[in-house]
Amino acid sequence: VETCATVAAMRATAARLRQGGRRLALVPTMGALHDGHLALLAAARARADAVVVSIFVNPTQFGDPRDLALYPRSEAADAALLAGAGADALFLPAAAEIYPPGDETIVETTRLAGVFHGARRPGHFRGVATVVCKLFNIVAPDLAIFGEKDYQQLAVVRRLVRDLHLPVEIVAVPTVRAADGLALSSRNARLAPEDRAAAAVLARALDRAQALAAAGAPVEDLHEALRATVAAEPRARLVGLDIVDAEDFAPVQGRLTRRAGIMLSAEVGGVLLLDQREVDPPAGDR
Ligand code: AMP
């Protein structure tokens, strides 16, 4: 797979890949690739003629320098994996390439960046929106693929594409999970074995909430069941729990009348884990 380290090289490669009207897809990642990323790549290949994968551990979306320093990196293994999985090019820029000296321009979804997960991580979604906008401007893809796992991130990206009239189609891919339900994440590599087993509590809690929603339970019952399930796992500490309307991302209360998204985050063994589930009310309540 052809690796581009500079903006100029990436632009030239992307232009070549688009030649003759070929559709180009971008899969933005932070590396330490796993089967979740490969599902995004497969979705890209199914919809486009050529695929660029970017690996960039974006410093502006990390609030905590320690978290940034600890973020897993495995670029050589990632490049080998991408070659086998059929990526056409890998964009692997240095931070100074993306944020040139004196860089001062930001992109922010003003409401969405500051609520839910964003309220607990100030600046995070500004960093995400800014880097995604830069990547779209460099690669100029026809479509870009994101995981549902980072549910609010997906909403932020959709909003910025709509508001800034960016000519990119956004495709969402369902969360890929381990056998015990744990959502695959690069951060899982940092879990000690006992914590890895405990981490499955997030998916169990979401399963319970989904069953309650399907039985017509009000949102308050879902909150309670999610909290109780996470609290029963001594190695886990609940960090965030938000249940929002899947369309407009406003918090929901009472009985569901349409699809909602649950965003759950918990710390296990010092590692922040995120998971998400879309839930529907029973057919009769819709
Ligand atoms: P990351 O490298 O963690 O920033 O993730 C890059 C992209 O892969 C994002 O769009 C994520 O939502 C997506 N992703 C990460 N983990 C998964 C997963 N387990 N299933 C599906 N998509 C994922």
Side-chain angles (χ1 to χ4, degrees):
V1 36
E2 182 179 340
T3 300
C4 305
T6 64
V7 170
M10 185 67 255
R11 276 195 204 286
T13 296
R16 181 172 50 73
L17 291 173
R18 273 195 310 273
Q19 250 168 28
R22 282 155 48 101
R23 268 167 75 76
L24 179 62
L26 171 66
V27 180
T29 81
M30 298 207 298
L33 300 180
H34 51 66
D35 284 349
H37 297 114
L38 294 185
L40 269 55
L41 177 53
R45 281 171 50 97
R47 289 169 178 79
D49 304 303
V51 181
V52 173
V53 175
S54 62
I55 296 182
F56 181 59
V57 182
N58 175 34
T60 64
Q61 72 187 68
F62 287 80
D64 175 4
R66 193 171 157 269
D67 190 33
L68 174 61
L70 285 176
Y71 199 83
R73 292 167 199 254
S74 54
E75 280 145 20
D78 288 351
L81 200 63
L82 289 176
D88 295 278
L90 166 61
F91 185 36
L92 193 65
E97 194 67 24
I98 297 295
Y99 297 101
D103 177 281
E104 60 175 307
T105 306
I106 56 168
V107 178
E108 184 163 51
T109 53
T110 51
R111 180 190 76 92
L112 208 43
V115 291
F116 314 128
H117 194 52
R120 295 178 288 271
R121 296 186 73 186
H124 172 70
F125 287 117
R126 181 200 301 147
V128 168
T130 302
V131 80
V132 166
C133 206
K134 286 173 182 263
L135 291 171
F136 287 179
N137 284 330
I138 295 163
V139 177
D142 298 285
L143 62 158
I145 323 288
F146 291 84
E148 283 178 2
K149 174 177 165 283
D150 299 284
Y151 197 63
Q152 189 169 354
Q153 167 173 287
L154 177 61
V156 164
V157 170
R158 287 203 155 118
R159 195 62 53 96
L160 97 91
V161 163
R162 190 198 67 174
D163 292 354
L164 296 180
H165 308 284
L166 301 181
V168 185
E169 180 195 336
I170 303 302
V171 174
V173 171
T175 302
V176 177
R177 299 172 180 282
D180 65 356
L182 176 66
L184 299 187
S185 164
S186 307
R187 292 174 191 273
N188 295 353
R190 286 172 48 198
L191 291 167
E194 318 82 78
D195 293 322
R196 167 63 192 81
V201 72
L202 280 84
R204 272 205 314 281
L206 291 166
D207 287 344
R208 257 189 91 186
Q210 188 167 25
L212 284 171
V219 169
E220 293 70 24
D221 290 9
L222 273 55
H223 273 277
E224 202 181 298
L226 285 153
R227 278 182 194 285
T229 307
V230 175
E233 171 48 67
R235 290 181 173 273
R237 181 180 68 82
L238 183 75
V239 172
L241 170 56
D242 301 290
I243 306 183
V244 300
D245 185 87
E247 285 299 314
D248 65 14
F249 242 72
V252 290
Q253 295 174 330
R255 287 175 80 85
L256 290 178
T257 53
R258 54 185 197 170
R259 178 166 294 180
I262 304 174
M263 295 183 282
L264 177 65
S265 56
E267 208 180 88
V268 180
V271 181
L272 179 66
L273 300 174
L274 268 64
D275 204 349
Q276 139 289 335
R277 189 73 56 87
E278 285 192 325
V279 298
D280 289 305
D285 291 3
R286 269 174 246 164

